[in-house]
């Protein structure tokens, strides 16, 4: 893991109490180095895992020339005379049951998609462009209906032997599993799953199932964090709710540092009298910044912890539920991907018009909850949710996107284009 001092080398000066989103992402990416351990696992168990080494194709794909369409295979030289082409059907070639003869001059072979291209053939004409002469084995078609060499998949067209099939850092999705299987590969090298420990702080918090008394509230952040972490396919250590006690927080941070690659806390990173988490973070590690020039999610700490020779990245999230989600998706998520060894994954931003004006002052990045929907003409537009307070989780649940307003942007008029990040594209 790169040390924080190494990560900060060469970066411009910054204010730890007013960190920009862009610079914070740079620091996190530089610090979060991939876990080193690589393990060999079965392809069927590899969904969502990060490839640890390049996979080199052991064979050509396709391994033989085959038809890309249902139709008739023949030699393209038959097209040279132009006009109407008339051929006799010499046989049939099906996938797994090839034609074992040779198509000579004036002959063709009935062929199905994926079937081996018969000897003497280099072109396939789709069946819908061919006419049969009654019940005979004679077919005719216009010479200009196809060009020589068309509708044929060539050896190694998809992948050639020795060519990289998948590169290290690739998160393996269903298509990648299919590709590996098509190469006859049963096991793949993947980086080990990272371990992330998380907990909430606050005397007022109660876990679901415990009774509430005046002044108490249920801890929703751990459930939100659990869901977001689970979707990343990592090992999760839920350390529960930790009371506002310096020793309890220190003990929990030490445990988390020893057992995990990254530690996420919720609450306790502002400047209140009972916010001991910030104090303990400083005692046990090196914290680079405390506050973000973003909304929601201004109280946000990043650094590293060290305990008994173990090191772990530290993400100190705010206590407000919507701020937890915004800071996780826009700051923590990419840091965890870096730890996993995953290739950078830029989150697509889609420009769409907003249905209403948005008040915004330059100087901070804002992530507003929005509802992306099509209007009566099928054109996409976004409506900002009715309540944007960081403590309101309802609108986070109702929304389906973030409306992203960058640092330099000011007030937005109705109908102006704004960037949206769709929730479903985040993992």
């Amino acid at each position: 893991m790169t040390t924080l001092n190494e990560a900060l080398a060469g970066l411009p000066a910054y204010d730890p109490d007013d960190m920009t989103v862009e610079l914070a992402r740079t620091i996190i990416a530089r610090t979060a180095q991939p876990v080193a351990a690589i393990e060999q696992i079965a392809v069927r168990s590899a969904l969502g895992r990060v490839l640890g080494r390049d996979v080199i194709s052991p064979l050509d794909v396709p391994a033989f020339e085959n038809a890309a369409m249902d139709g008739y295979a023949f030699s393209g030289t038959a097209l040279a005379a132009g006009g109407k082409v008339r051929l006799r059907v010499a046989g049939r070639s099906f996938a797994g049951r090839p034609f074992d003869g040779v198509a000579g001059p004036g002959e063709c072979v009935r062929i199905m998609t994926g079937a081996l291209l018969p000897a003497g053939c280099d072109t396939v004409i789709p069946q819908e462009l061919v006419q049969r002469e009654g019940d005979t084995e004679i077919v005719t078609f216009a010479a200009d209906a196809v060009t020589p060499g068309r509708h044929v998949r060539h050896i190694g067209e998809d992948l050639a032997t020795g060519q990289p099939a998948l590169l290290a850092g690739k998160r393996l999705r269903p298509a990648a599993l299919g590709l590996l299987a098509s190469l006859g590969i049963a096991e793949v090298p993947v980086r080990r799953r990272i371990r992330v420990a998380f907990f909430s702080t606050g005397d007022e918090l109660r876990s679901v199932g415990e009774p509430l008394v005046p002044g108490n509230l249920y801890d929703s952040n751990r459930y939100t964090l659990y869901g977001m972490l689970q979707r990343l396919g990592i090992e999760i250590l839920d350390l529960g709710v930790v009371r506002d006690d310096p020793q309890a927080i220190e003990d929990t941070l030490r445990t988390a540092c020893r057992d995990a690659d990254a530690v996420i806390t919720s609450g306790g990173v502002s400047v209140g009298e009972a916010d001991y988490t910030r104090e303990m973070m400083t005692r046990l590690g090196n914290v680079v910044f405390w506050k973000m020039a973003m909304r929601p999610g201004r109280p946000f700490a990043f650094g590293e912890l060290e305990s008994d020779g173990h090191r772990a990245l530290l993400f100190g999230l705010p206590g407000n539920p919507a701020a937890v989600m915004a800071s996780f998706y826009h700051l923590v998520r990419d840091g965890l991907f870096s730890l996993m060894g995953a290739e950078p994954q830029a989150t697509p931003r889609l420009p769409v018009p907003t249905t209403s004006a948005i008040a915004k002052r330059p100087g901070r990045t804002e992530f507003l909850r929005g509802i992306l929907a099509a209007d009566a003409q099928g054109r996409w537009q976004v409506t900002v949710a009715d309540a944007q307070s960081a403590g309101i989780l309802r609108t986070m649940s109702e929304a389906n996107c973030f409306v992203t307003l960058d640092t330099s942007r000011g007030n937005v008029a109705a109908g102006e284009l704004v960037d949206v990040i769709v929730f479903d594209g985040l993992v």
Side-chain angles (χ1 to χ4, degrees):
M1 184 186 295
T2 300
T3 67
L4 278 177
N5 289 336
E6 291 170 338
L8 296 174
L11 291 178
Y14 64 88
D15 181 354
D17 287 323
D18 200 31
M19 172 66 69
T20 65
V21 172
E22 294 75 19
L23 187 53
R25 286 172 174 159
T26 298
I27 293 172
I28 292 170
R30 286 190 178 189
T31 309
Q33 298 299 302
V35 294
I38 293 177
E39 56 191 16
Q40 198 83 1
I41 66 172
V43 167
R44 279 199 170 183
S45 301
L47 184 65
R49 300 294 293 272
V50 176
L51 198 59
R53 290 187 290 268
D54 293 351
V55 172
I56 306 301
S57 179
L59 47 83
D60 291 321
V61 180
F64 52 88
E65 293 202 339
N66 64 89
M69 303 280 288
D70 291 344
Y72 296 84
F74 63 99
S75 171
T77 57
L79 303 172
K84 180 172 286 190
V85 179
R86 187 171 183 271
L87 302 172
R88 183 182 70 84
V89 180
R92 287 161 177 75
S93 184
F94 298 95
R97 288 185 290 141
F99 174 71
D100 58 4
V102 177
E107 293 182 330
C108 65
V109 175
R110 179 77 167 108
I111 196 166
M112 299 293 111
T113 302
L116 176 70
L117 199 68
C121 300
D122 61 11
T123 305
V124 173
I125 184 165
Q127 60 187 13
E128 57 268 23
L129 301 180
V130 170
Q131 295 82 43
R132 293 178 65 97
E133 290 189 356
D135 294 331
T136 68
E137 288 290 292
I138 303 295
V139 296
T140 61
F141 55 90
D144 60 1
V146 68
T147 55
R150 283 298 306 277
H151 308 304
V152 173
R153 297 174 179 147
H154 298 287
I155 296 173
E157 181 179 294
D158 188 6
L159 276 172
T161 301
Q163 179 183 350
L166 294 170
L167 299 179
K170 176 79 173 178
R171 283 192 79 205
L172 298 175
R173 302 187 186 279
L177 303 189
L179 175 59
L180 291 166
S182 75
L183 300 175
I185 294 174
E187 294 186 338
V188 286
V190 296
R191 292 192 185 271
R192 74 158 173 84
R193 293 186 191 273
I194 64 169
R195 293 181 289 272
V196 178
F198 69 103
F199 62 91
S200 299
T201 63
D203 289 339
E204 77 281 10
L205 297 179
R206 295 293 180 270
S207 294
V208 172
E210 296 180 345
L212 294 180
V213 298
N216 290 167
L217 67 154
Y218 286 120
D219 174 22
S220 64
N221 288 342
R222 275 175 42 242
Y223 291 85
T224 301
L225 281 168
Y226 179 82
M228 293 187 293
L229 290 169
Q230 190 176 50
R231 292 182 71 185
L232 298 184
I234 62 182
E235 291 186 25
I236 304 171
L237 305 176
D238 183 355
L239 301 182
V241 176
V242 181
R243 66 185 187 280
D244 285 325
D245 173 77
Q247 190 60 54
I249 293 173
E250 179 177 347
D251 291 346
T252 305
L253 285 173
R254 287 188 182 277
T255 297
C257 182
R258 288 194 300 268
D259 295 340
D261 303 294
V263 181
I264 301 175
T265 69
S266 171
V269 292
S270 59
V271 293
E273 291 184 13
D275 290 335
Y276 301 116
T277 306
R278 176 171 175 168
E279 177 187 342
M280 292 304 106
M281 288 176 176
T282 304
R283 179 182 300 181
L284 298 179
N286 182 8
V287 179
V288 181
F289 50 86
W290 292 104
K291 293 181 180 178
M292 298 294 304
M294 66 179 273
R295 173 176 176 256
R298 180 163 175 75
F300 178 93
F302 173 73
E304 61 182 2
L305 296 173
E306 186 166 353
S307 178
D308 300 329
H310 297 271
R311 294 172 61 198
L313 288 187
L314 169 69
F315 299 95
L317 277 57
N320 284 321
V324 164
M325 295 192 72
S327 54
F328 181 91
Y329 279 132
H330 300 295
L331 296 169
V332 180
R333 169 182 170 271
D334 284 349
L336 297 182
F337 277 140
S338 295
L339 273 180
M340 294 162 64
E343 61 191 0
Q345 300 185 28
T347 304
R349 292 187 176 195
L350 309 176
V352 296
T354 175
T355 60
S356 60
I358 304 172
K360 161 79 163 63
R361 62 177 177 83
R364 68 184 180 192
T365 302
E366 296 195 6
F367 301 104
L368 308 177
R369 284 147 272 176
I371 300 171
L372 184 64
D375 64 15
Q377 287 72 45
R379 296 169 299 196
W380 290 99
Q381 58 185 9
V382 66
T383 301
V384 174
D386 60 357
Q388 293 292 329
S389 169
I392 297 178
L393 194 55
R394 171 185 58 83
T395 50
M396 196 73 190
S397 177
E398 294 172 348
N400 61 6
C401 67
F402 284 115
V403 176
T404 304
L405 304 178
D406 290 328
T407 305
S408 61
R409 189 144 191 187
N411 292 333
V412 178
E416 276 191 58
L417 293 179
V418 292
D419 286 343
V420 301
I421 298 175
V422 180
F423 285 172
D424 284 347
L426 290 177
V427 293

